[in-house]
Amino acid sequence: MAIRTWAWAVFLLLALLSSSSSCRAAEAPSPQVSADADLAAIDDAHRTGYHFQPPKNWINDPNGVMYYKGVYHLFYQYNPKGAVWGNIVWAHAVSTDLVDWVMLPPAIYPTAPFDVNGCWSGSATVLPDGTPVIMYTGIDGENRQVQNVAYPKDLSDPYLREWVKPDYNPVIAPGPGMNATAFRDPTTSWQGPDGLWRLVIGTKDNHRGLAMLYRSRDFKRWAPAGRALHSGDTGMWECPDFYPVNSPGVGGGGGGTKHVLKVSLDLTRFEYYTFGEYDQATDTYVPDAALADGNDGLRYDYGNFYASKTFLDTAKQRRILWGWANESDSTADDLRKGWAGVQAVPRKVWLAPDGKQLVQWPVVEIESLRGNHVNVTDTLVKAGQHFEVSGLASPAQADVEASFQVMDLDKAEPFDPAWRAADAQTVCAARGAEAKGGVGPFGLWVLASDDLKERTAVFFRVFKGGDGGKHVVLMCNDPSMSSHADNLYKPTFAGFVDVDVAQTRGKIPLRTLIDHSVVESFGAHGKTCILSRVYPTKAIGDEARLYVFNNGESDVKVTHLNAYEIRSVKITADVKQNT
Ligand code: DQQ
């Protein structure tokens, strides 16, 4: 016993000596080491807790999203070799609840002449017998963009781990006169009354973006319809998506089905959609007359959200939308971080009851992540005031649902007629969160530091004198003060919100999902959505704060606000990989 005590004393002494020497080392680090360590900690603090991202490397478009045998599949564009775009394969993750994910090995990667230079975006179709088939763009040996099919190797595996590419690929190649380097991203297929399958592929003819229609009886031989389902003077159309939504019966009609066509614009990197009538017999699509193509078109999201894709969740009879959010930092930042790109939370999407636009909402499963919450009710925020919503352990990973009520709509400034031709982003850039107004800006400061020098504003402004004398509601995301770091892209994002504030007695609801470097907001119950990427240096982890602010002349009441902590999702490796 005595020897043991003695041995312990020697051990402790040695341990103390070694720890004090390592302490000394820690007290006087070389400035470079310390700066690197600080940067690494900040980089780590920007990784998301519940927005999907793999442990490392570059990701972009969601691909082939589907539901199969009780499992949700998310494939996505992935560079297995680094944090910049390149070496593109289809990475694969599965989930039973759209919340926790199992990471699987890449499902589709270059193996054959028809995809030797990359496996780009595409879609999944579940055939009537339950067999899923993937159609994706392969970059062939001549760098042409061709469309290939892949089938599961083992239909009894609900994870669909392995995929087989038949030798008869490619099944669609660019025809004579077509632009072979702009011919990609096939949609999910649909079957017409004649039994033929249809799909569209994004392409361009000079500056005209096109959704080219193809037909097939057997999913193997595809014939061009020789025309576009729709086109627009917008440059290349990437990642088209075409799907039906049920219309509840606008204007007293009996309801019916509208078809949505969404495209991603390569030139501007934003997406827009139209919806209208699709005649199955003639394969014609006519968007509703009120809906614009291009810059003035409706968007799923007025922020950082691209290459999106929907699928029908047959388990819950809902349509789910996935979209990619790129980084807004520099390539050098991404290389240092070792990762780039996240997916927005999956959103349910449907047609608004008034038939004027689509509405989106985070899938209800996300709410299972909610933990502790704080609540604010009927709290007046006077002109120029703000208050902190305290009590959450970390508002850097939170879900905030609030409703604001404008107390004096008469204070709304007139809508400048010069803004009529402008988009919301231009208006909001001219009148950012710091510019005092009549009604607004009011809303949230998220990912804010306690000295408020870092903060991202999500807010509304209300103007009067819009069309028909109605108020105009603008929703903005202003990241101009979001970070002390340099070399960040900090665009002000904005969308108009179709809410008649005179009817709602000045009430405008807002939900914001905060996830370290993601601020994803849903205005007016999902009518206007804005996702933004920000990189605070102080407002990270437990140091982040959440505030309500009002920089307008009219008082604003927070009629209710619930802020929830959100637990991190579980991202696990596939157990079968280790066996
Ligand atoms: N990303 C893919 C293309 C697609 C683009 C390549 C959109 O198939 O057009 O990674 O982000």
Side-chain angles (χ1 to χ4, degrees):
M1 189 68 182
I3 292 174
R4 270 179 149 194
T5 312
W6 176 84
W8 255 117
V10 172
F11 174 78
L12 278 176
L13 189 68
L14 284 174
L16 253 172
L17 281 173
S18 74
S19 80
S20 68
S21 64
S22 68
C23 260
R24 272 199 303 278
E27 272 161 20
S30 81
Q32 186 55 45
V33 170
S34 157
D36 288 353
D38 287 354
L39 263 183
I42 293 172
D43 288 347
D44 215 38
H46 293 148
R47 282 189 62 81
T48 55
Y50 62 102
H51 284 77
F52 179 88
Q53 64 175 154
K56 61 179 185 177
N57 294 336
W58 166 274
I59 73 168
N60 56 299
D61 320 355
N63 291 152
V65 288
M66 69 169 140
Y67 180 76
Y68 178 72
K69 290 198 169 163
V71 176
Y72 294 101
H73 290 256
L74 170 65
F75 304 86
Y76 52 96
Q77 298 276 283
Y78 179 67
N79 179 358
K81 296 185 181 160
V84 291
W85 185 90
N87 312 302
I88 291 295
V89 304
W90 278 42
H92 188 191
V94 289
S95 171
T96 52
D97 56 9
L98 293 166
V99 169
D100 297 326
W101 293 89
V102 177
M103 310 299 274
L104 302 175
I108 298 183
Y109 42 88
T111 54
F114 51 77
D115 65 7
V116 67
N117 286 320
C119 298
W120 289 15
S121 288
S123 307
T125 303
V126 181
L127 302 178
D129 69 356
T131 304
V133 48
I134 279 171
M135 175 84 74
Y136 70 99
T137 299
I139 310 300
D140 75 5
E142 294 159 41
N143 278 325
R144 291 184 320 155
Q145 298 177 3
V146 298
Q147 320 312 319
N148 304 316
V149 287
Y151 287 88
K153 188 169 180 187
D154 175 8
L155 282 172
S156 70
D157 172 16
Y159 281 10
L160 300 171
R161 290 175 175 87
E162 290 183 80
W163 290 77
V164 178
K165 302 174 207 165
D167 289 339
Y168 56 72
N169 278 313
V171 292
I172 306 177
M178 293 195 70
N179 188 336
T181 55
F183 181 64
R184 56 183 183 266
D185 310 336
T187 59
T188 294
S189 304
W190 68 96
Q191 213 168 9
D194 54 8
L196 296 182
W197 289 100
R198 279 107 167 127
L199 57 73
V200 298
I201 298 171
T203 183
K204 67 174 175 181
D205 181 4
N206 292 312
H207 192 259
R208 181 149 284 273
L210 304 158
M212 293 302 290
L213 183 68
Y214 285 76
R215 299 193 192 94
S216 171
R217 184 155 301 284
D218 54 8
F219 238 88
K220 184 172 172 184
R221 283 156 299 180
W222 290 83
R227 63 184 170 83
L229 188 71
H230 193 49
S231 69
D233 189 21
T234 56
M236 171 70 187
W237 279 9
E238 297 187 311
C239 302
D241 198 17
F242 187 61
Y243 58 90
V245 287
N246 284 330
S247 146
V250 183
T257 302
K258 294 267 180 198
H259 273 76
V260 178
L261 176 65
K262 182 277 312 182
V263 294
S264 309
L265 302 182
D266 192 20
L267 283 183
T268 51
R269 311 304 281 178
F270 74 77
E271 309 191 307
Y272 78 90
Y273 66 84
T274 54
F275 52 81
E277 302 305 321
Y278 167 61
D279 183 336
Q280 299 214 8
T282 57
D283 270 333
T284 46
Y285 168 67
V286 182
D288 284 3
L291 303 177
D293 275 291
N295 204 30
D296 297 330
L298 292 167
R299 302 191 201 172
Y300 287 141
D301 194 296
Y302 291 82
N304 182 340
F305 188 90
Y306 195 69
S308 67
K309 188 166 296 292
T310 65
F311 71 103
L312 181 66
D313 173 8
T314 48
K316 295 194 174 167
Q317 288 309 318
R318 58 186 171 172
R319 185 154 288 268
I320 294 177
L321 167 71
W322 281 99
W324 161 53
N326 197 0
E327 300 301 308
S328 294
D329 57 4
S330 66
T331 302
D333 291 332
D334 295 343
L335 289 170
R336 186 193 62 240
K337 284 161 24 196
W339 55 270
V342 303
Q343 304 293 344
V345 292
R347 304 173 180 178
K348 183 177 157 180
V349 56
W350 69 99
L351 188 66
D354 65 9
K356 290 203 284 189
Q357 64 166 104
L358 297 173
V359 190
Q360 301 153 74
W361 200 243
V363 292
V364 66
E365 287 87 337
I366 296 293
E367 291 166 33
S368 70
L369 296 169
R370 287 174 170 177
N372 289 339
H373 95 283
V374 293
N375 172 264
V376 175
T377 42
D378 291 334
T379 301
L380 204 64
V381 203
K382 293 193 145 307
Q385 292 193 340
H386 64 265
F387 69 87
E388 183 178 353
V389 180
S390 52
L392 290 189
S394 175
Q397 195 173 309
D399 178 355
V400 185
E401 278 199 87
S403 183
F404 301 95
Q405 184 169 22
V406 176
M407 302 312 285
D408 188 356
L409 279 171
D410 287 342
K411 289 215 160 75
E413 299 156 271
F415 191 70
D416 184 338
W419 290 339
R420 277 187 198 282
D423 60 11
Q425 193 167 350
T426 309
V427 180
C428 211
R431 312 277 284 148
E434 304 315 308
K436 291 192 188 318
V439 174
F442 64 84
L444 304 174
W445 284 328
V446 304
L447 296 170
S449 55
D450 55 3
D451 61 5
L452 281 173
K453 287 193 174 150
E454 281 188 336
R455 61 192 197 213
T456 296
V458 183
F459 64 91
F460 298 105
R461 275 182 189 278
V462 181
F463 299 94
K464 61 186 167 200
D467 289 343
K470 282 197 177 154
H471 289 91
V472 177
V473 179
L474 189 64
M475 175 173 157
C476 310
N477 180 300
D478 182 352
S480 52
M481 292 183 63
S482 59
S483 176
H484 294 302
D486 299 324
N487 300 324
L488 299 175
Y489 174 52
K490 294 181 187 169
T492 297
F493 290 128
F496 293 111
V497 192
D498 186 22
V499 52
D500 186 349
V501 279
Q503 292 243 323
T504 64
R505 289 180 295 114
K507 280 195 190 167
I508 313 174
L510 172 70
R511 180 172 179 194
T512 295
L513 302 178
I514 305 158
D515 196 1
H516 303 280
S517 59
V518 177
V519 180
E520 187 174 359
S521 300
F522 301 81
H525 299 299
K527 282 186 160 176
T528 302
C529 309
I530 302 177
L531 192 155
S532 185
R533 301 296 311 280
V534 292
Y535 306 89
T537 60
K538 303 279 178 216
I540 53 176
D542 299 351
E543 300 301 313
R545 303 273 187 273
L546 171 67
Y547 294 85
V548 172
F549 78 99
N550 177 15
N551 250 340
E553 279 172 31
S554 166
D555 294 349
V556 168
K557 190 197 275 183
V558 178
T559 56
H560 79 264
L561 182 150
N562 288 311
Y564 301 84
E565 286 168 15
I566 292 284
R567 82 161 168 84
S568 296
V569 301
K570 293 188 201 95
I571 305 263
T572 45
D574 181 18
V575 277
K576 211 171 166 187
Q577 264 176 277
N578 304 325
T579 55

